Amino acid sequence: FQSAASGELTLPGITAHSTPVATGTSRFDLLFSIDERTTATGTPTGLEGFVEYSTDLFDHTTITTLIERLTRVLEQAVTQPDTPITRTELLSTDERHQLLVQHNATQHDVTTPEVLSEAFEAQVRATPDAPAVVFEATELSY
């Protein structure tokens, strides 16, 4: 996070301001840079940022998700400053539903026999010539 007194540098006859330059390469694996923007008189106007990342390690979708999550956390910090960080919602409603409901929808009917002997008999019927037991050079089929 960069906090500057002014977003511009004004000298006699010269006004300068910083401009991010895309170099096409990343200095770090992942860099979030957020600058506080102000007017020439120092009045805050908001935040501006960019992300620099190694494309060997991250793809655009992952970075977009990280930006959305960081934005969500910052918005909550501003709108709910008394909320402990442990209660901050990192995931969107859709992400939370996907994680807690969709990825955990593992219930399915199991049609397995009730006892081991029935399972063995079913395997014998399905693959009578398949190896059932192998020990060293000895092999027994079902």
Side-chain angles (χ1 to χ4, degrees), residues 4-10 17 36-46:
S6 172
E8 295 183 348
L9 172 64
T10 305
H17 63 278
E36 182 179 39
R37 291 295 168 196
T38 60
T39 64
T41 61
T43 305
T45 60

Side-chain angles (χ1 to χ4, degrees), residues 45-96:
T45 60
L47 300 176
E48 181 179 82
F50 69 90
V51 178
E52 191 175 274
Y53 62 95
S54 169
T55 55
D56 290 339
L57 300 174
F58 301 98
D59 62 20
H60 182 73
T61 303
T62 301
I63 296 301
T64 301
T65 301
L66 288 173
I67 292 168
E68 289 169 355
R69 289 178 181 168
L70 177 59
T71 302
R72 191 174 300 112
V73 169
L74 292 174
E75 286 173 347
Q76 289 176 69
V78 170
T79 60
Q80 303 165 26
D82 295 331
T83 301
I85 192 71
T86 57
R87 298 211 134 167
T88 301
E89 293 294 333
L90 184 62
L91 303 176
S92 69
T93 304
D94 290 341
E95 288 173 319
R96 181 173 295 287

Side-chain angles (χ1 to χ4, degrees), residues 12-32:
I14 299 174
T15 300
H17 63 278
S18 64
T19 302
V21 176
T23 63
T25 128
S26 175
R27 294 177 288 169
F28 304 102
D29 291 343
L30 179 63
L31 170 71
F32 283 86

Side-chain angles (χ1 to χ4, degrees), residues 46-47 56 93 108 111 132 134 136 141:
L47 300 176
D56 290 339
T93 304
H108 62 280
T111 57
V134 177
E136 294 179 352
S141 69

Side-chain angles (χ1 to χ4, degrees), residues 11 22 24 37-38 53 67 78 81 98 104-105 107 110 112 131 138 141:
L11 300 170
R37 291 295 168 196
T38 60
Y53 62 95
I67 292 168
V78 170
Q98 183 180 29
N104 284 306
Q107 182 179 3
V110 178
T112 57
T138 305
S141 69

